[in-house]
Amino acid sequence: MRWTDEGIVLGSRRHGEANAILELMTREHGRHLGLVRGGAGSRLRPVLQSGNRVSAVWQARLDEHLGHYTIEGLNARAASFLPISHALYGVTHLASLCRLLPERDPHPQIHAALADLLEVLLDSRRAGASLVRFELQLLTELGFGLDLASCAASGEEVDLVYVSPKSGRAVSRQAGAQWKDKLLALPAFLCRSSADEASFDDIVAGFALTGFFLMRHVLEPRGLALADARASFIAAIARAGP
């Protein structure tokens, strides 16, 4: 078995004295692990840092084996994240989100969204809004997508400001007025018709929305909690300011 693909490093761990087990989010083969000979050495260790983009050749005798990677670096962006706290927390949280996907199950849209998000990760406000959208997309990939296009009660496509915690559908301001204390806030930047830049309060509301459904549908059934890096990321973008 042998294939070549492009991947984004989610993480790696030392294996023995000189080798490393590398975890990639690949474009065509999903989240995939493999052994990198010499991966713990000084030449390859910088290439195997989380967030880097690499070209990978994977091969094994049988498909179910761990297999071996041959790695070539394409974009060593991880070094630029080191002095930026929200970027470091963001990369850690993104890796934890990708690990919610089944191993070796292709998710090309998630790979593309991850690549796009990493391009803006140094910009705290853009990164915050993009990470909320990434969590929404992950929910969709896992079969729990939210319907934010029209009001669940009236069918209207304007003035959508709430989300029903029961159905995961948007609710308009008028339709949800008497139930607003029981509804989740829908920040404007998640609406199709909005071109406004997200404020920090909107980003926090977005994370509250996605966090609610991630916990209910994905994490709690697996006995998991939201990653600590997620809260640290939100706190870090608050410190970074506008």
Side-chain angles (χ1 to χ4, degrees):
M1 301 294 298
R2 177 186 173 94
W3 51 254
T4 300
D5 203 351
E6 182 179 305
I8 296 168
V9 177
L10 299 180
S12 65
R13 63 181 186 271
R14 196 182 190 100
H15 185 76
E17 292 187 7
N19 303 323
I21 294 177
L22 175 66
E23 183 180 26
L24 296 178
M25 187 68 204
T26 65
R27 177 184 290 157
E28 298 177 7
H29 299 84
R31 184 173 64 85
H32 207 291
L33 283 76
L35 181 73
V36 180
R37 292 192 176 95
S42 59
R43 185 180 68 84
L44 283 175
R45 191 166 56 246
V47 179
L48 306 187
Q49 298 302 304
S50 299
N52 283 347
R53 185 166 61 93
V54 300
S55 175
V57 177
W58 180 87
Q59 54 186 342
R61 189 170 64 85
L62 298 175
D63 186 57
E64 60 266 26
H65 289 175
L66 174 65
H68 295 84
Y69 273 134
T70 301
I71 296 297
E72 179 183 351
L74 298 176
N75 186 331
R77 60 165 64 91
S80 67
F81 299 154
L82 292 176
I84 311 297
S85 60
H86 77 262
L88 286 175
Y89 291 127
V91 169
T92 302
H93 178 47
L94 285 166
S96 71
L97 290 173
C98 289
R99 291 183 184 114
L100 296 173
L101 296 167
E103 189 179 348
R104 303 189 179 193
D105 190 13
H107 291 275
Q109 292 183 326
I110 288 292
H111 176 272
L114 179 60
D116 289 344
L117 203 164
L118 290 170
E119 290 293 331
V120 302
L121 193 57
L122 295 178
D123 183 327
S124 60
R125 193 54 47 84
R126 291 177 67 192
S130 295
L131 216 161
V132 172
R133 293 189 183 98
F134 186 89
E135 291 188 346
L136 276 179
Q137 186 169 347
L138 184 74
L139 282 165
T140 299
E141 292 281 326
L142 291 171
F144 305 108
L146 308 186
D147 183 354
L148 307 180
S150 62
C151 176
S154 66
E156 296 179 356
E157 298 181 359
V158 295
D159 203 24
L160 304 175
V161 297
Y162 305 115
V163 176
S164 166
K166 292 184 178 181
S167 68
R169 294 192 61 188
V171 180
S172 69
R173 189 184 308 275
Q174 181 177 356
Q178 68 183 66
W179 312 106
K180 63 181 182 180
D181 292 339
K182 297 182 179 181
L183 299 173
L184 299 164
L186 173 59
F189 76 94
L190 294 180
C191 297
R192 292 180 180 177
S193 59
S194 176
D196 297 336
E197 183 176 340
S199 68
F200 177 71
D201 288 343
D202 282 344
I203 291 171
V204 170
F207 275 118
L209 175 65
T210 54
F212 177 85
F213 289 101
L214 281 170
M215 285 298 300
R216 170 185 281 183
H217 295 306
V218 182
L219 298 173
E220 287 182 348
R222 305 184 191 193
L224 302 174
L226 290 166
D228 292 340
R230 186 179 191 264
S232 298
F233 172 82
I234 297 170
I237 63 173
R239 293 194 299 270

